[in-house]
Amino acid sequence: MSANATVPGATGGPTFAEDSVLLYWGVSGLQGYMYFTRYNDKLWVRAVAATMLILDFVSVALICQSMYYYMLPHFGSFAPLSAVTKELSIECLIAAVITFISQMYFAYQLYMVKSPGITAAVMNSLVILFGIIGLGGAVGCVGMMFLYPHSIFMNRNHVFAILAGIAKGFGAAADIVATIAMCMFLKSAETGMKRTSGMLKSLMHLVINRGILVTVAQILLLITFFATAGHLYWLAVHINTTKLYVNTFFGMLNARTSLQERFATGHMSMSGETTVNTLRLAAPMSPKREKMGELDTQDYAMSAIRVTTSSTVADI
């Protein structure tokens, strides 16, 4: 059977796959548009964001093409489900890369926290290690999908199942550790100052919501994959998990605007083509008060939210 088969009697115009790509990619596209038109981050951050957006578009296109092949040209027949398409196999690889990029960017944020002590270093190392193991398991899954396309949906290959468990299990572990680590820092930076405490709580809510969403998705994918081995429920969860990683990635980046507007007491200044938002959380403190561990104030650009204490620095 050809993946390019058409429905008898179909007329010209936009195909099912093309329409679905535009509709399904809409949220990510809007988030990307908001980010690139509002922020002037470092070049490598913008490159990562652009890569995520492109990979997400390709992922959606491959999913739609595969769903078209399974559901429309052979409607009513289960024969196509005997093998996984190459498009879907490639999409699984792209999904693994998207997940890894999102986790490593979160690890970078943890590194920028510069929280002292061995605990912070260990937790950040665990996030990176778990993310790499998860990526390795996912790459192994894709390899099995190309080698044994007829042993993925039906009569599942045991090696494929083990590798999938490793990929999803360690992926969930990386997200859990990253969320706990970031919340520990934000909690340790609490002060008695109303404005800064409010900002820290808002940041913590963002981090927790992101962590809960992606972790629950990974665990649900793991459960449906093994508990319903004779069905394809896990495939629907897999598709939406990839979208969650993309949307939470851009959601964290775009949330800076609302936080800045909510807690700002500063001014806007223009310099050439670069817009800098100078915000002050409170009046600068004396060195004596800094030594007491109270929150110091810093100007920060739109590329980050900077929280500084006498012992920690965070660029969120």
Side-chain angles (χ1 to χ4, degrees), residues 62 66 84-95 138 141-147 149 152:
L62 293 173
S66 297
V84 62
T85 64
K86 292 182 179 179
E87 290 86 356
L88 198 57
S89 300
I90 296 173
E91 189 281 328
C92 286
L93 178 61
I94 292 176
C141 284
V142 174
M144 297 301 295
M145 293 172 78
F146 277 105
L147 291 174
I152 303 301

Side-chain angles (χ1 to χ4, degrees), residues 256 259-261 263-268 277-282 297-301:
R256 292 173 294 176
L259 285 176
Q260 289 168 348
E261 292 174 350
F263 298 102
T265 59
H267 63 277
M268 293 292 293
N277 192 6
T278 304
L279 306 175
R280 298 185 181 277
L281 300 179
T297 56
Q298 297 262 342
D299 293 342
Y300 58 89

Side-chain angles (χ1 to χ4, degrees), residues 4-40:
N4 297 320
T6 58
V7 180
T11 58
T15 65
F16 168 83
E18 290 171 344
D19 290 340
S20 299
V21 167
L22 295 177
L23 290 173
Y24 196 40
W25 190 70
V27 175
S28 301
L30 177 60
Q31 291 243 43
Y33 173 79
M34 292 172 61
Y35 170 73
F36 285 105
T37 55
R38 292 182 179 181
Y39 298 97
N40 188 28

Side-chain angles (χ1 to χ4, degrees), residues 1-17 65 68-75:
M1 302 176 191
S2 172
N4 297 320
T6 58
V7 180
T11 58
T15 65
F16 168 83
Q65 176 60 32
Y68 172 86
Y69 169 69
Y70 287 130
M71 299 175 65
L72 293 185
H74 312 287
F75 180 76

Side-chain angles (χ1 to χ4, degrees), residues 201-214:
K201 288 180 180 178
S202 297
L203 287 172
M204 192 178 296
H205 289 160
L206 285 173
V207 171
I208 292 175
N209 289 337
R210 182 263 181 195
I212 289 176
L213 280 173
V214 295

Side-chain angles (χ1 to χ4, degrees), residues 111-260:
Y111 171 76
M112 293 303 294
V113 162
K114 295 183 177 67
S115 182
I118 190 65
T119 302
V122 169
M123 296 189 78
N124 199 34
S125 298
L126 286 176
V127 174
I128 296 173
L129 177 62
F130 290 163
I132 292 174
I133 294 176
L135 177 64
V139 172
C141 284
V142 174
M144 297 301 295
M145 293 172 78
F146 277 105
L147 291 174
Y148 306 101
H150 294 278
S151 302
I152 303 301
F153 294 153
M154 308 296 179
N155 302 316
R156 182 181 295 168
N157 184 283
H158 292 295
V159 176
F160 169 76
I162 293 173
L163 291 172
I166 291 174
K168 304 311 174 186
F170 278 95
D175 292 318
I176 291 172
V177 174
T179 302
I180 292 174
M182 185 63 79
C183 288
M184 285 175 58
F185 161 73
L186 294 176
K187 186 66 178 177
S188 67
E190 281 282 1
T191 69
M193 300 167 62
K194 182 178 179 181
R195 187 184 299 276
T196 53
S197 294
M199 186 191 70
L200 290 171
K201 288 180 180 178
S202 297
L203 287 172
M204 192 178 296
H205 289 160
L206 285 173
V207 171
I208 292 175
N209 289 337
R210 182 263 181 195
I212 289 176
L213 280 173
V214 295
T215 301
V216 168
Q218 289 279 27
I219 293 175
L220 182 61
L221 178 54
L222 198 61
I223 292 173
T224 54
F225 184 82
F226 287 104
T228 60
H231 302 276
L232 298 180
Y233 302 136
W234 65 271
L235 195 57
V237 182
H238 160 78
I239 292 171
N240 288 284
T241 299
T242 305
K243 300 296 293 182
L244 273 179
Y245 274 103
V246 175
N247 288 323
T248 54
F249 173 83
F250 279 104
M252 292 286 290
L253 291 175
N254 290 328
R256 292 173 294 176
T257 296
S258 60
L259 285 176
Q260 289 168 348

